[in-house]
């Protein structure tokens, strides 16, 4: 389990580094905090049918 967490953290660092501005990084962190606070309110990405739901929810931000 620790290894999975390490991989996730490394990926998160890479993704954050790819964001073009400090404003974009702040928006991403705000979104992470929202999801962390109420995780069941968000689509489960493990569900294959969730792709469309996620796309609809985040299209304006993508």
């Amino acid at each position: 389990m620790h290894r999975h967490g390490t991989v996730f953290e490394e990926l998160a660092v890479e993704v954050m580094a790819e964001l073009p501005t400090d404003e974009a990084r702040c928006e991403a962190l705000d979104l992470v905090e929202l999801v962390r606070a109420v995780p069941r309110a968000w689509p489960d990405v493990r569900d294959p049918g969730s792709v469309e739901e996620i796309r609809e929810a985040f299209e304006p931000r993508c």
Side-chain angles (χ1 to χ4, degrees):
M1 177 125 169
H2 179 69
R3 182 175 173 199
H4 177 73
T6 302
V7 170
F8 180 77
E9 287 176 19
E10 290 173 4
L11 179 59
V13 168
E14 288 179 33
V15 168
M16 292 297 284
E18 293 287 326
L19 294 174
T21 65
D22 286 340
E23 182 181 354
R25 285 184 280 282
C26 286
E27 286 185 25
L29 289 173
D30 289 346
L31 181 58
V32 167
E33 282 302 312
L34 283 170
V35 172
R36 200 168 66 97
V38 192
R40 287 181 175 78
W42 299 87
D44 186 343
V45 296
R46 296 169 294 187
D47 176 9
S50 69
V51 173
E52 286 302 317
E53 191 176 351
I54 293 167
R55 187 174 292 138
E56 286 176 18
F58 297 106
E59 190 73 42
R61 293 181 155 231
C62 291

